């Protein structure tokens, strides 16, 4: 596996691969890798000649400087995980100046209001940061396909929208949420929880499964109240928000329309660690 530590080294590598006509699959990360990330590379491996990873903790998508400071970083561990997986041909590890050559600040994007829903309400500018780093990585890596986990469903929708509006010739592929044995969605943030709290957090997935059972049987307000009741009884857990939204517009709904697809979204803070999850309702 090639370890590419500058924009120039990456560009020379990509140019050689393109000259050989190789189809490139790409999945960017912020490190702290786990099996959820590897599921992206497994799909990319099946569909491409060459698989590229990147590891870059993007400062412009953090609203809270403390959150940025606490974000887990262990680059040597991450490289070892990628090497052992056998799924990745090259990993790009840029410096901040490779992504932000002048100022470390975001571009402004129009995501057709997708950025105003859910996460965007409490994290102003977050998705401009996401759009900026992903667009820049796309321009540098020049992939044919890019892979993103559905755990961050709003982010996936926004990247699709940005790629469409910028007319980038890249296919954006959503990969199903990879879960631990107890159902907890794998996340780099899970590393900040001890074993007992990770086990207790399975209630998040269990609640989403119940929501799917209640879908079209109960009203949206009734479902929301039941979810609130569940977390009112969980020690050390705070329900930040739960909502059901249209999968296309991400707008919250209070009624189930027959011709629309819906998804339940949930954010729970467990001992100060913010966990997100979602589920398509069928």
């Amino acid at each position: 596996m090639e370890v590419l530590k500058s924009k120039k080294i990456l560009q020379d590598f990509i140019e050689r691969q393109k000259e050989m006509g190789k189809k490139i699959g790409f999945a960017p990360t912020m490190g702290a890798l786990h099996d959820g990330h590897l599921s992206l590379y497994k799909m990319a491996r099946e569909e491409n000649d060459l698989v590229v990873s990147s590891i870059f903790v993007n400062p412009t998508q953090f609203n809270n400087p403390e959150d940025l400071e606490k974000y887990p970083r262990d680059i040597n561990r991450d490289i070892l995980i990628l090497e052992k997986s056998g799924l990745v041909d090259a990993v790009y590890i840029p410096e901040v100046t490779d992504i932000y050559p002048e100022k470390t600040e975001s571009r402004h994007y129009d995501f057709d209001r997708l950025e105003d829903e859910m996460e965007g309400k409490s994290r102003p500018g977050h998705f401009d940061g996401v759009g900026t780093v992903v667009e820049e990585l796309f321009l540098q890596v020049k992939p044919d396909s890019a892979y993103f986990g559905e755990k961050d469903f709003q982010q996936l929708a926004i990247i699709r929208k940005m790629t469409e509006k910028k007319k980038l010739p890249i296919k954006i592929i959503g990969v199903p949420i990879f879960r631990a044995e107890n159902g907890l969605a794998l996340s780099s943030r899970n590393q900040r929880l001890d074993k007992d709290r990770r086990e207790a957090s399975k209630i998040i997935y269990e609640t989403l499964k119940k929501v799917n059972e209640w879908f079209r049987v109960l009203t949206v307000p009734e479902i929301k109240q039941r979810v609130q009741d569940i977390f009112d009884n969980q020690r050390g857990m705070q329900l930040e928000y739960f909502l059901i939204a249209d999968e296309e517009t991400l707008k919250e709904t209070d009624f189930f329309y027959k011709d629309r697809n819906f998804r339940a979204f949930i954010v729970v803070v467990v001992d100060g660690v913010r966990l997100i999850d979602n589920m398509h309702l069928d």
Side-chain angles (χ1 to χ4, degrees), residues 75-249:
I75 199 72
N76 292 327
R77 171 187 171 276
D78 289 338
I79 290 172
L80 189 61
I81 286 172
L82 292 176
E83 283 182 331
K84 280 187 171 182
S85 77
L87 298 169
V88 175
D89 299 293
V91 57
Y92 177 37
I93 307 174
E95 298 290 340
V96 173
T97 51
D98 290 319
I99 305 298
Y100 301 98
E102 296 174 1
K103 291 183 179 179
T104 307
E105 61 184 25
S106 302
R107 304 170 190 138
H108 180 66
Y109 292 85
D110 173 13
F111 299 115
D112 288 351
R113 316 307 292 183
L114 292 173
E115 72 275 24
D116 294 338
E117 307 302 325
M118 292 182 291
E119 295 294 285
K121 290 180 179 178
S122 59
R123 304 174 72 184
H126 167 71
F127 288 116
D128 281 339
V130 170
T132 300
V133 71
V134 172
E135 182 183 9
E136 187 58 36
L137 287 168
F138 280 178
L139 294 173
Q140 293 183 26
V141 177
K142 299 180 173 62
D144 297 278
S145 301
Y147 299 79
F148 296 87
E150 290 186 349
K151 182 176 76 68
D152 297 293
F153 191 85
Q154 185 174 15
Q155 174 178 280
L156 171 61
I158 274 170
I159 289 167
R160 279 194 173 124
K161 183 62 67 176
M162 183 269 290
T163 305
E164 172 194 316
K165 288 204 160 200
K166 294 286 182 177
K167 295 182 169 57
L168 300 176
I170 301 167
K171 185 178 180 182
I172 306 300
I173 297 167
V175 180
I177 297 170
F178 195 94
R179 299 185 180 278
E181 284 187 14
N182 68 1
L184 180 64
L186 290 201
S187 167
S188 301
R189 294 172 188 267
N190 294 357
Q191 296 177 23
R192 292 166 55 189
L193 296 173
D194 65 28
K195 184 179 178 182
D196 288 344
R197 298 312 279 156
R198 285 198 298 273
E199 179 61 22
S201 297
K202 67 183 181 182
I203 189 68
I204 299 170
Y205 178 57
E206 290 171 353
T207 299
L208 287 173
K209 288 196 294 183
K210 287 179 180 177
V211 169
N212 197 38
E213 291 171 9
W214 299 330
F215 177 54
R216 299 192 192 279
V217 176
L218 301 176
T219 66
V220 174
E222 286 171 338
I223 292 174
K224 291 180 78 171
Q225 185 58 57
R226 288 197 180 191
V227 171
Q228 185 65 60
D229 291 344
I230 288 170
F231 286 95
D232 283 346
N233 292 311
Q234 299 301 315
R235 180 183 62 82
M237 295 188 191
Q238 179 186 355
L239 179 65
E240 184 176 310
Y241 70 73
F242 168 79
L243 58 85
I244 295 171
D246 183 296
E247 279 194 339
E248 184 176 338
T249 66

Side-chain angles (χ1 to χ4, degrees), residues 19-33:
E19 284 173 356
M20 290 186 282
K22 290 192 176 179
K23 184 180 177 185
I24 298 174
F26 175 53
T29 81
M30 293 206 298
L33 301 182

